């Protein structure tokens, strides 16, 4: 449970957040963990909300865990451009996650030369992190048709799209045809479920993310039936990550224009 510090108390008094938001954090985290669990029917997960709310960190952690649990599995982490996925993931979230939670893997990440071709560790030539058990995480940009076409020859167990609202829905549909790798848990021998993870600071309700996850509508073909048990969405906001971000960051978010506050502080989809 998030400690009720003087700063948080002041935010509640000023109407920036509510006591309910504070009290519901653990329930939401538990719901996320349940959606990711192997026994859950959920196959598509959307974590949406304000800036610096731990959406990407939590999701990437789940991808690493899946790679460790399913030897030889492949996982794609993507953004609209390679420059974006490199700066946000390869040079920030991913090494930070390994350093904090997987120190042995972090050593493999940091000792790898940016020029050598390797069998275990970070291969910068292919933007692929290779685990000792043969699993791998591939980091790619998927902002144009050529980028997506290059991925069509490989099957994945997990596809994570960060800032998924920036990805064209046609590209999303093509990528889903690559979510097809059969892998087995290293202990139980049970086949692992295929999983798509989408992350975003909420755009407008006209986005494909809102239509799929909240309205269960395929934007390209409304006649296609989508099943609610396969979809899960959960909101995470900066206050949910207050232990890891400066209080001044929250204050700065309250100084944004209302429309930007709605997106980056309160994590809500806009009507426009």
């Amino acid at each position: 449970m998030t400690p009720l510090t003087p700063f948080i108390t002041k935010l509640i008094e000023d109407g920036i957040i509510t006591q309910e938001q504070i009290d519901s954090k653990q329930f939401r985290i538990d719901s996320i963990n349940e959606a990711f669990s192997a026994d859950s029917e959920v196959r598509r997960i959307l974590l949406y909300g304000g800036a610096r709310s731990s959406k990407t960190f939590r999701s990437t952690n789940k991808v690493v865990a899946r790679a460790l649990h399913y030897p030889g599995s492949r996982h794609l982490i993507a953004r609209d451009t390679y420059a974006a996925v490199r700066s946000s993931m390869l040079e920030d979230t991913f090494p930070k996650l390994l350093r904090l939670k997987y120190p042995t893997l972090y050593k493999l990440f940091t000792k790898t030369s940016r020029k050598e071709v390797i069998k275990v560790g970070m291969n910068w030539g292919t933007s692929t992190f290779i685990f000792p058990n043969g699993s791998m995480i591939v980091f790619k940009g998927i902002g144009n048709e050529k980028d997506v076409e290059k991925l069509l020859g490989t099957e994945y167990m997990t596809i994570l799209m960060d800032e998924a609202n920036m990805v064209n829905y046609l590209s999303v549909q093509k990528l889903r045809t690559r979510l097809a790798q059969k892998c087995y848990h290293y202990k139980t021998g049970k086949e692992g479920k295929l999983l798509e993870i989408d992350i975003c600071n909420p755009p407008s309700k006209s986005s494909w993310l809102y239509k799929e996850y909240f309205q269960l509508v395929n934007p390209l073909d409304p006649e296609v039936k989508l099943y609610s048990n396969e979809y899960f969405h959960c909101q995470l906001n900066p206050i949910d990550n207050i232990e890891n971000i400066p209080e001044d960051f929250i204050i700065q978010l309250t100084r944004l224009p209302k429309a930007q506050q709605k997106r980056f502080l309160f994590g809500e989809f806009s009507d426009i």
Side-chain angles (χ1 to χ4, degrees):
M1 180 179 293
T2 302
L4 202 61
T5 63
F7 177 69
I8 292 177
T9 300
K10 182 70 164 53
L11 291 177
I12 294 174
E13 291 174 350
D14 291 346
I16 304 298
I17 61 172
T18 66
Q19 183 66 50
E20 182 182 2
Q21 286 177 285
I22 301 299
D23 295 340
S24 69
K25 176 183 175 180
Q26 191 56 54
F27 172 79
R28 285 179 283 123
I29 299 303
D30 290 343
S31 297
I32 291 171
N33 291 336
E34 172 59 26
F36 274 101
S37 71
D39 295 329
S40 168
E41 294 181 345
V42 172
R43 295 297 183 270
R44 292 176 185 167
I45 293 175
L46 170 64
L47 297 186
Y48 70 100
R52 295 293 311 279
S53 55
S54 80
K55 304 182 298 296
T56 303
F57 188 90
R58 289 181 186 279
S59 298
T60 306
N61 185 34
K62 297 296 186 182
V63 174
V64 172
R66 282 166 63 82
L68 291 170
H69 291 162
Y70 296 89
S73 57
R74 288 184 297 272
H75 311 267
L76 174 66
I77 293 182
R79 284 195 59 167
D80 57 326
T81 67
Y82 175 71
V85 78
R86 178 168 181 139
S87 63
S88 66
M89 280 290 189
L90 278 175
E91 297 178 356
D92 186 9
T93 301
F94 189 64
K96 184 187 299 180
L97 170 69
L98 297 185
R99 177 172 56 82
L100 292 174
K101 291 187 171 292
Y102 306 95
T104 302
L105 296 178
Y106 181 65
K107 290 178 181 178
L108 292 176
F109 180 88
T110 56
K111 77 175 185 179
T112 306
S113 166
R114 290 175 179 257
K115 294 183 179 180
E116 65 182 330
V117 177
I118 53 102
K119 293 184 178 179
V120 176
M122 187 63 213
N123 186 327
W124 288 94
T126 59
S127 300
T128 302
F129 184 80
I130 306 170
F131 291 75
N133 68 355
S135 294
M136 59 182 66
I137 298 179
V138 183
F139 299 83
K140 295 293 184 181
I142 53 172
N144 62 61
E145 188 173 344
K146 288 184 179 180
D147 291 334
V148 176
E149 289 291 332
K150 291 176 182 178
L151 297 173
L152 296 185
T154 307
E155 295 178 346
Y156 298 95
M157 184 185 184
T158 312
I159 293 178
L160 185 158
M161 288 182 281
D162 195 17
E163 300 298 343
N165 55 294
M166 302 285 289
V167 181
N168 182 282
Y169 191 64
L170 283 173
S171 295
V172 172
Q173 297 290 77
K174 286 185 179 181
L175 281 177
R176 286 174 176 169
T177 68
R178 299 297 87 205
L179 201 53
Q181 189 187 20
K182 182 176 287 192
C183 300
Y184 300 92
H185 195 277
Y186 77 106
K187 276 188 177 181
T188 66
K190 185 176 179 180
E191 182 179 334
K193 72 178 183 179
L194 304 175
L195 190 62
E196 174 185 327
I197 308 165
D198 299 311
I199 308 169
C200 75
N201 300 124
S204 76
K205 292 180 180 180
S206 64
S207 72
W208 69 266
L209 288 165
Y210 189 86
K211 290 179 179 178
E212 266 211 10
Y213 280 92
F214 291 85
Q215 299 176 333
L216 291 177
V217 171
N218 182 311
L220 294 179
D221 187 354
E223 297 299 318
V224 174
K225 185 173 177 58
L226 303 182
Y227 297 87
S228 60
N229 60 306
E230 297 179 357
Y231 285 81
F232 171 86
H233 57 80
C234 186
Q235 183 185 59
L236 291 172
N237 281 328
I239 194 62
D240 297 315
N241 194 34
I242 192 64
E243 301 90 345
N244 300 305
I245 56 177
E247 293 179 355
D248 280 352
F249 177 73
I250 303 289
I251 293 172
Q252 291 307 310
L253 291 180
T254 67
R255 307 291 193 264
L256 293 174
K258 295 298 183 182
Q260 296 303 305
Q261 283 189 42
K262 184 173 185 178
R263 184 181 186 192
F264 295 110
L265 176 60
F266 302 118
E268 298 175 358
F269 286 84
S270 68
D271 293 322
I272 300 174

